[in-house]
Amino acid sequence: MSANTHSDGPHSDPPVIAGLLLAAGGGRRLGGRPKALLPYRGRPLVENAVRVLREAGCGPVHVVLGASAAEVRERADLSGCVVVDNPDWAEGMGSSLRVGLASLAGTDAGAALVSLVDQPGIGPAAVARVREAYRSRASLAAAAYGGERGHPVLFGADRWADIAATATGDKGARVHLARHAGELILVECSDVAEAFDIDTPPDLARLA
């Protein structure tokens, strides 16, 4: 059964799977170049990450900015996205995850599919696979590469409060994932994606 036919009730509409893009990083090891604005195929990297989420069937797409947020808003086309700023972005990924989940609170999204701006090797095929793992508002799923958990990660809406409460520093959702490891569905994606990060100057060659 595809994700488009899953529902939370016998007569409810297909679930809304929101895309949540964490794009706040300052690129400290890249000389302070904000990752969202790294050039990729002639455009800012953040635009590619938004496109991937949309082509995988996620929507709405919420984007969390941090480093050079005003410049990112000016230079990148984020039309149609809900763009939120994380003033505490330097504290690590956990703060951006909290801000992003807060922006989704009160929406009709049944889950958030969380992706990172600096992983251009993960395209729509992998994201769509993880999206298809949605079963209910308690769903918990992640892409796997050679059996190792990676991104993107899908969090059912019933989990958001606990994730936000435990997301600190650079841990992100790792505390929640560790506590609920037995409930996590791993979706192997190594045949359709490469889960590298753009962290250091040598990594920039991967953006060519």
Side-chain angles (χ1 to χ4, degrees):
M1 183 181 293
S2 73
N4 289 333
T5 60
H6 291 311
S7 63
D8 290 324
H11 303 295
S12 58
D13 294 327
V16 174
I17 311 297
L20 177 53
L21 175 62
L22 305 185
R28 177 177 52 84
R29 287 182 286 173
L30 292 168
R33 301 170 66 184
K35 291 187 175 184
L37 288 177
L38 293 174
Y40 183 63
R41 298 177 179 174
R43 297 298 303 165
L45 188 57
V46 67
E47 291 183 12
N48 173 74
V50 167
R51 175 190 61 80
V52 167
L53 286 169
R54 286 180 171 152
E55 289 186 5
C58 297
V61 174
H62 288 224
V63 181
V64 180
L65 300 180
S68 304
E71 186 180 0
V72 176
R73 287 174 182 268
E74 180 181 338
R75 291 177 50 191
D77 180 6
L78 300 176
S79 55
C81 297
V82 176
V83 183
V84 292
D85 291 348
N86 173 18
D88 301 318
W89 63 269
E91 293 180 3
M93 187 189 305
S95 63
S96 291
L97 184 56
R98 292 197 306 271
V99 168
L101 292 176
S103 75
L104 285 167
T107 71
D108 60 352
L113 197 150
V114 180
S115 66
L116 308 181
V117 73
D118 66 341
Q119 294 189 319
I122 300 175
V127 177
R129 280 190 189 176
V130 178
R131 182 183 178 278
E132 290 283 322
Y134 178 85
R135 295 295 179 269
S136 74
R137 292 171 64 89
S139 288
L140 185 64
Y145 303 91
E148 295 295 320
R149 175 175 56 79
H151 283 86
V153 184
L154 183 142
F155 300 119
D158 289 351
R159 298 182 179 272
W160 296 352
D162 183 67
I163 292 169
T166 57
T168 58
D170 271 325
K171 293 179 180 178
R174 278 182 286 185
V175 172
H176 184 88
L177 288 165
R179 288 177 178 171
H180 301 275
E183 302 161 46
L184 176 66
I185 297 172
L186 289 178
V187 182
E188 186 59 46
C189 294
S190 57
D191 60 318
V192 293
E194 294 183 87
F196 58 83
D197 302 319
I198 306 298
D199 283 332
T200 64
D203 295 334
L204 295 174
R206 292 179 176 270
L207 295 175

